Amino acid sequence: MASSSGYYYEQDTTEDNGAPLVDESGGIVECSPSFMDTSMYYFPSTSEMQKRSHLDFGVVCQPLQTNEEIPLINFSGGSASENGSVVRCRSCRAYINPFVEWLSNGMHHHWVCNLCGISNEVHSKAYVDRYMSGQCQELQYASVEIVAPEEYCVRPPQLPAYLFVINVSKQSMESNVVAHVCNTLKQLINDDQGGGGGDDDDEEQAQAAAHNFNRNYQQQTQVGFITYSDKVHFYSLKATQSKPKMFVTNDVNDAVLPIPANQIMTDLRESHDMINELLDTLPLLHGGGDGGGGGGGADSVSSENALGTAIECGFTALKEMGGKMVCFSFGLPSLGKGKAMNRTLNVDMRNHSEYDKLLKRSNNFYMDLAISMTKYQISCDLFQFTSARHEYVDVSTIKGICRCSGGQLFLYDAYDAAAHGSALCSDVYKLLTRETAWETVMRLRCSRGVSIKHYYGCFYRRSADLLSVPAMDCDKTITVLLTHTNAGDTDAAADTDTGGGDAGDKAGGGAYINAPYIYVQSALLYTNSFGQRRIRCCTKRIAVSSSYPELYHGVNLSAMTALIAKQAVFKMLSKDVASSRMFIQDACLSMLEGYCRNCNVPNGLPTENDYIESLRFLPLNTLGLLRSAAFVDIRDAANNVSIDTRIAVLTNLLHMNHANIEVLIRPSLYRIDELVTLDDDTLDDEYYLPTEIPLTRTALRADGMYVLDNGQCFVVRIGQKVALNVIQTFFVKQTTQKQTGRGTGGSGSSGGALSLNADMNHNRYLHKLHAILQYLQSINYRHQCMDILYQTQSDKEKAFCSLYLIRDRSESVMTYDEFLTFIYKNTRPK
């Protein structure tokens, strides 16, 4: 069983607002904000309060985050429960948790569900004895992992299965994408780290350290390969063969598998050497030479991209077992099923109506295919590459294959091996090694008086309250928007999704919650990578308040900003850019207007110092959203952000957590040339981080060198008066190189002139810079490449200022000071 000590000794036992995670009075370990966080620390007692406050209540769920340990509960272990089944409410089906009310009357014992209020009788004396002796961890911990009994399995638990669908077109081969991918996969399957253990404790530690490609813990991991360009190539990797065999399908409009699916998917452990041989061969096989196996020689190099057909073939190959499809695509899907056209030809990108049409998908092929894949527990992650800056690949259309199947989209615009190779290898490595849950379904339940209005994330919604996520990982979130249920309709409110506007009100005060707390419970049913069926159950207790000051002081701004961003994504995808930007601005204004009106602020908010702490940075976060690549106005985006980049960021916003969203919209800026002035003690201080610089041009000096971290990439800006010897302390002239393995940091520059020096011998200042970048990298969920620009590069400088210096004016957004004045005029009491 996982140790529970992490709750008490390895984490801070207070939330951001000071509320204890450990309830000392009842010995309850509250649900950590890492698993479930809220946009407000108090829920309004009436729907009228919620309307008047203009505060949306959202819950961000990240059930598989790996920062904390939780106890493992086995209800089937002996006398753990009445009949070996999981203890749940007989009415709303909520899982028993620390917040239920336990009642005893002589020989009769029952517990009252904290979600629906129904009484559940306990027949097992053994379970009562365990409760009385304090052995029921499910009644002590609000976050638990439950061993799922057989009735929770409709088929044998799914084991890890990975199908790699790799584009081998001319561009993909010449850019070394295929070489990078193959080399990273070789590193994975030959990784001996975390080997086998002896006793149970060693076994558990080894399992925690291992990944699905580890040679000692491959546990029947299934692997397969498909390559494609203007044809689709399949590879038989049966262990009984002497070498891999390739088979080719020429008709991309009606492709069928030339060999059985069980020959495409093979046991990694049994075919380890053959897979190694294939990975050595693939970077050479499609260069026009001869191929091996039953399919004859490799075909001539083609520039076509039959992406849709290749994914459909992959779907057929994985149908029987389910799993994860990892697809690599280069350029616009130009052939076969799901073929797309270049819709940007003759389009004025500064024309709102023409631009907004590009936000909509051109066909439903990828979305419909993804929905079909979810029925067979298949997800798809897509790595999309372009060869030129702002080359159009119709991400609006192809994003559906990831968004609806629970996958992730990676876009590499103007891919350059030297600049992006390390990031690609690290992204692939992390994608395949992070904790992953298979054949996952998720349901959220709420207590009486509360219902779920909207869901946000990358999933397929099977029914009103059941989400299908074929492969869920530790970085993904599901966010819900809560509202009050209609008065008089509070029974089983947890399992309904109103799907529309606000809950109806009674005359006078609206729907009313007459309880000190509401509860939200998330339940994730999944199979882990060792074939064990589990239920990750988290129950959040949220205080109810009838005080407006408490509501506003209890705003969790990071989560609130993320909720606004996710709502704005839907506004843009369903309507247009202008609607989403207006929604973001109105959310800020209405929130602050409600604060001034409801909390009796007679003088309004003339300066930043007049804001309460919880809302102080709301205007700056709003400007950050309006200037971000996702929501930037088309006047600022025309030359700086492609339509595909915008859509890719929008798609990823849906599943990003609020910490990553905040650094994306409000990046960190540090001056790094002054590292050469540090004394020895500071250079030796492993916790040293330069002072953060305000995001305004006035803070940038011509003799300064700065690094900006937005969670996606590092942008280094070199002022025009920086001394050459300072530049050479940290950077070297970039040389042509083939980098086909994982790197340790941003080692390339998309400018093609400089790269970060990797040789840290006898250079303490460079070593310090590497340490700072590695720390910043460690707290972000993606590997960050590095873009280096000079102040004298006018186009890059303009893009840098437009996207990142959010306190300054842009073509479409006012300065921070002007925005504060605008807010003051529009929110002060009349």
Side-chain angles (χ1 to χ4, degrees):
M1 187 188 72
S3 169
S4 62
S5 62
Y7 276 99
Y8 292 101
Y9 306 115
E10 298 177 7
Q11 74 169 57
D12 184 2
T13 56
T14 60
E15 293 189 21
D16 291 341
N17 69 331
L21 290 179
V22 180
D23 182 350
E24 301 293 349
S25 60
I28 294 173
V29 182
E30 297 273 1
C31 178
S32 166
S34 300
F35 290 115
M36 296 180 74
D37 207 356
T38 56
S39 61
M40 300 159 60
Y41 296 121
Y42 299 94
F43 191 80
S45 59
T46 70
S47 57
E48 182 64 23
M49 278 192 73
Q50 190 168 37
K51 282 183 178 180
R52 288 175 56 84
S53 68
H54 298 286
L55 296 172
D56 283 337
F57 194 97
V59 180
V60 182
C61 305
Q62 192 173 352
L64 291 177
Q65 64 85 20
T66 55
N67 296 329
E68 299 165 48
E69 297 176 336
I70 59 176
L72 182 66
I73 310 297
N74 189 350
F75 286 103
S76 301
S79 59
S81 67
E82 302 175 61
N83 54 10
S85 60
V86 178
V87 181
R88 302 177 66 178
C89 176
R90 62 186 174 87
S91 176
C92 71
R93 304 303 294 157
Y95 295 83
I96 193 169
N97 61 81
F99 310 112
V100 303
E101 183 182 5
W102 189 280
L103 301 176
S104 298
N105 181 16
M107 298 298 293
H108 300 284
H109 306 273
H110 54 99
W111 57 273
V112 179
C113 178
N114 56 309
L115 271 70
C116 69
I118 294 296
S119 177
N120 297 268
E121 189 171 357
V122 181
H123 299 285
S124 169
K125 182 180 182 301
Y127 191 75
V128 173
D129 292 341
R130 290 182 65 247
Y131 165 73
M132 299 300 290
S133 61
Q135 297 179 34
C136 296
Q137 289 186 302
E138 64 272 19
L139 296 175
Q140 300 169 10
Y141 293 85
S143 300
V144 295
E145 182 97 337
I146 302 171
V147 176
E150 289 186 4
E151 59 262 31
Y152 286 78
C153 304
V154 296
R155 64 175 186 175
Q158 174 184 319
L159 289 170
Y162 299 87
L163 178 60
F164 298 96
V165 182
I166 305 172
N167 182 279
V168 290
S169 65
K170 180 180 179 180
Q171 301 94 316
S172 186
M173 300 298 292
E174 291 179 348
S175 64
N176 287 322
V177 165
V178 177
H180 281 82
V181 172
C182 290
N183 196 67
T184 304
L185 295 179
K186 281 199 66 177
Q187 292 179 24
L188 274 167
I189 67 173
N190 294 302
D191 184 2
D192 290 326
Q193 203 173 31
D199 56 34
D200 291 342
D201 289 340
D202 291 338
E203 181 81 9
E204 190 171 302
Q205 292 174 6
Q207 286 191 5
H211 54 72
N212 295 330
F213 290 86
N214 184 274
R215 296 184 67 178
N216 296 306
Y217 279 99
Q218 287 159 2
Q219 297 282 324
Q220 301 179 41
T221 296
Q222 301 292 302
V223 176
F225 294 87
I226 293 175
T227 58
Y228 68 99
S229 54
D230 60 337
K231 303 176 179 66
V232 184
H233 320 94
F234 305 85
Y235 301 88
S236 175
L237 299 169
K238 291 192 301 182
T240 55
Q241 298 171 186
S242 60
K243 63 178 181 178
K245 294 183 179 181
M246 184 180 77
F247 300 83
V248 181
T249 296
N250 294 312
D251 186 357
V252 295
N253 292 308
D254 189 23
V256 295
L257 299 187
I259 54 177
N262 62 5
Q263 291 187 29
I264 298 174
M265 301 302 298
T266 185
D267 190 302
L268 175 58
R269 186 170 40 193
E270 295 178 357
S271 302
H272 181 272
D273 293 338
M274 196 177 307
I275 292 171
N276 262 319
E277 182 180 347
L278 177 63
L279 292 173
D280 285 333
T281 306
L282 276 182
L284 306 173
L285 183 62
H286 296 280
D290 292 332
D299 48 295
S300 302
V301 175
S302 169
S303 297
E304 300 290 352
N305 180 3
L307 173 65
T309 301
I311 294 178
E312 189 173 70
C313 290
F315 171 37
T316 305
L318 280 174
K319 251 185 183 180
E320 292 300 317
M321 64 179 64
K324 179 185 281 286
M325 192 186 311
V326 185
C327 188
F328 301 86
S329 170
F330 209 113
L332 185 73
S334 57
L335 204 64
K337 296 184 178 181
K339 174 183 177 180
M341 307 295 291
N342 187 349
R343 295 188 286 159
T344 62
L345 296 176
N346 303 317
V347 170
D348 180 5
M349 300 301 282
R350 287 181 172 268
N351 182 294
H352 283 269
S353 60
E354 293 184 21
Y355 186 95
D356 289 333
K357 290 178 183 177
L358 299 176
L359 297 172
K360 310 299 186 290
R361 55 183 175 270
S362 59
N363 63 67
N364 293 328
F365 174 82
Y366 295 95
M367 184 184 70
D368 292 343
L369 181 59
I371 293 172
S372 298
M373 288 165 59
T374 63
K375 299 175 183 177
Y376 295 89
Q377 302 298 340
I378 301 170
S379 73
C380 181
D381 299 290
L382 177 62
F383 290 78
Q384 177 66 55
F385 306 87
T386 69
S387 56
R389 184 171 180 264
H390 295 183
E391 176 188 345
Y392 182 69
V393 291
D394 200 1
V395 174
S396 302
T397 300
I398 63 177
K399 74 176 188 303
I401 199 68
C402 305
R403 180 183 165 192
C404 296
S405 71
Q408 186 169 344
L409 174 63
F410 300 83
L411 176 64
Y412 291 87
D413 189 38
Y415 180 79
D416 176 73
H420 306 119
S422 178
L424 169 61
C425 294
S426 293
D427 281 342
V428 172
Y429 192 92
K430 180 171 183 179
L431 176 74
L432 299 176
T433 58
R434 65 188 173 189
E435 182 176 346
T436 300
W438 306 89
E439 51 184 346
T440 302
V441 290
M442 184 174 183
R443 180 175 269 121
L444 287 100
R445 297 176 171 89
C446 307
S447 53
R448 290 181 297 176
V450 185
S451 61
I452 297 175
K453 185 175 181 179
H454 289 299
Y455 293 81
Y456 304 97
C458 291
F459 51 79
Y460 175 61
R461 194 168 165 187
R462 283 191 195 171
S463 61
D465 64 343
L466 186 63
L467 310 180
S468 174
V469 192
M472 181 90 170
D473 59 69
C474 56
D475 293 320
K476 285 194 175 65
T477 68
I478 302 291
T479 302
V480 294
L481 179 65
L482 301 187
T483 188
H484 292 74
T485 308
N486 288 347
D489 181 23
T490 56
D491 291 335
D495 293 284
T496 24
D497 182 343
T498 60
D502 297 324
D505 293 338
K506 295 187 297 182
Y512 176 64
I513 298 175
N514 186 23
Y517 300 99
I518 64 164
Y519 302 90
V520 180
Q521 185 179 86
S522 71
L524 187 80
L525 175 63
Y526 72 97
T527 301
N528 65 21
S529 291
F530 298 95
Q532 300 162 334
R533 202 73 171 137
R534 296 283 190 259
I535 305 166
R536 177 68 61 91
C537 182
C538 301
T539 307
K540 188 78 171 179
R541 176 168 64 174
I542 303 156
V544 175
S545 176
S546 57
S547 164
Y548 282 110
E550 270 192 333
L551 292 184
Y552 287 104
H553 283 274
V555 169
N556 179 0
L557 187 58
S558 179
M560 180 68 78
T561 303
L563 178 63
I564 293 171
K566 294 171 192 286
Q567 291 174 294
V569 170
F570 273 63
K571 293 288 183 183
M572 183 175 295
L573 295 180
S574 62
K575 295 183 180 179
D576 50 45
V577 175
S579 297
S580 67
R581 289 173 57 81
M582 186 58 66
F583 172 82
I584 292 169
Q585 179 176 294
D586 286 348
C588 174
L589 290 175
S590 59
M591 220 181 297
L592 295 174
E593 186 274 333
Y595 166 67
C596 293
R597 173 168 41 84
N598 296 315
C599 295
N600 191 23
V601 183
N603 298 322
L605 303 168
T607 68
E608 184 183 281
N609 292 332
D610 295 301
Y611 286 70
I612 56 174
E613 191 62 32
S614 61
L615 298 175
R616 183 175 182 181
F617 294 110
L618 175 61
L620 191 60
N621 282 7
T622 300
L623 290 180
L625 284 172
L626 294 174
R627 298 279 286 272
S628 68
F631 304 110
V632 64
D633 188 85
I634 64 173
R635 289 171 290 174
D636 293 319
N639 298 317
N640 305 324
V641 180
S642 69
I643 182 71
D644 285 329
T645 298
R646 183 196 292 274
I647 295 295
V649 177
L650 286 170
T651 303
N652 289 325
L653 277 176
L654 290 174
H655 64 73
M656 288 171 62
N657 66 30
H658 44 290
N660 290 323
I661 290 177
E662 187 162 37
V663 75
L664 175 67
I665 66 169
R666 219 176 79 190
S668 302
L669 181 64
Y670 306 97
R671 185 168 181 175
I672 57 175
D673 62 292
E674 292 182 341
L675 293 178
V676 299
T677 66
L678 298 181
D679 57 34
D680 290 344
D681 289 341
T682 306
L683 288 172
D684 291 334
D685 182 3
E686 60 180 315
Y687 299 106
Y688 171 78
L689 194 66
T691 303
E692 198 166 331
I693 305 295
L695 295 170
T696 173
R697 185 191 291 267
T698 58
L700 303 180
R701 294 172 55 91
D703 60 350
M705 190 158 56
Y706 303 86
V707 62
L708 180 137
D709 169 29
N710 69 352
Q712 308 289 308
C713 67
F714 292 120
V715 182
V716 174
R717 180 188 182 272
I718 302 175
Q720 59 186 359
K721 294 183 180 180
V722 177
L724 180 60
N725 66 310
V726 175
I727 297 175
Q728 293 174 341
T729 300
F730 302 104
F731 302 98
V732 294
K733 286 287 185 180
Q734 188 168 293
T735 57
T736 303
Q737 58 180 342
K738 284 190 177 181
Q739 183 185 12
T740 56
R742 294 172 61 222
T744 57
S747 59
S749 161
S750 58
L754 292 177
S755 63
L756 183 64
N757 192 348
D759 183 7
M760 293 180 279
N761 290 333
H762 312 298
N763 188 337
R764 301 188 66 192
Y765 309 117
L766 178 61
H767 188 277
K768 193 64 186 175
L769 177 58
H770 272 273
I772 291 170
L773 295 179
Q774 287 172 0
Y775 165 72
L776 295 175
Q777 178 70 73
S778 70
I779 59 177
N780 291 314
Y781 79 109
R782 281 198 64 182
H783 183 90
Q784 294 162 263
C785 55
M786 180 174 286
D787 189 9
I788 301 175
L789 66 94
Y790 287 94
Q791 183 182 355
T792 52
Q793 294 175 295
S794 57
D795 289 345
K796 283 193 169 186
E797 174 73 2
K798 183 177 180 180
F800 179 85
C801 295
S802 178
L803 292 174
Y804 304 127
L805 301 186
I806 61 177
R807 290 176 177 266
D808 296 340
R809 179 189 296 277
S810 74
E811 192 172 343
S812 61
V813 179
M814 61 190 80
T815 68
Y816 180 56
D817 290 337
E818 290 171 342
F819 190 49
L820 289 179
T821 302
F822 175 76
I823 292 173
Y824 171 62
K825 291 180 178 178
N826 284 273
T827 61
R828 61 183 176 183
K830 304 298 187 223

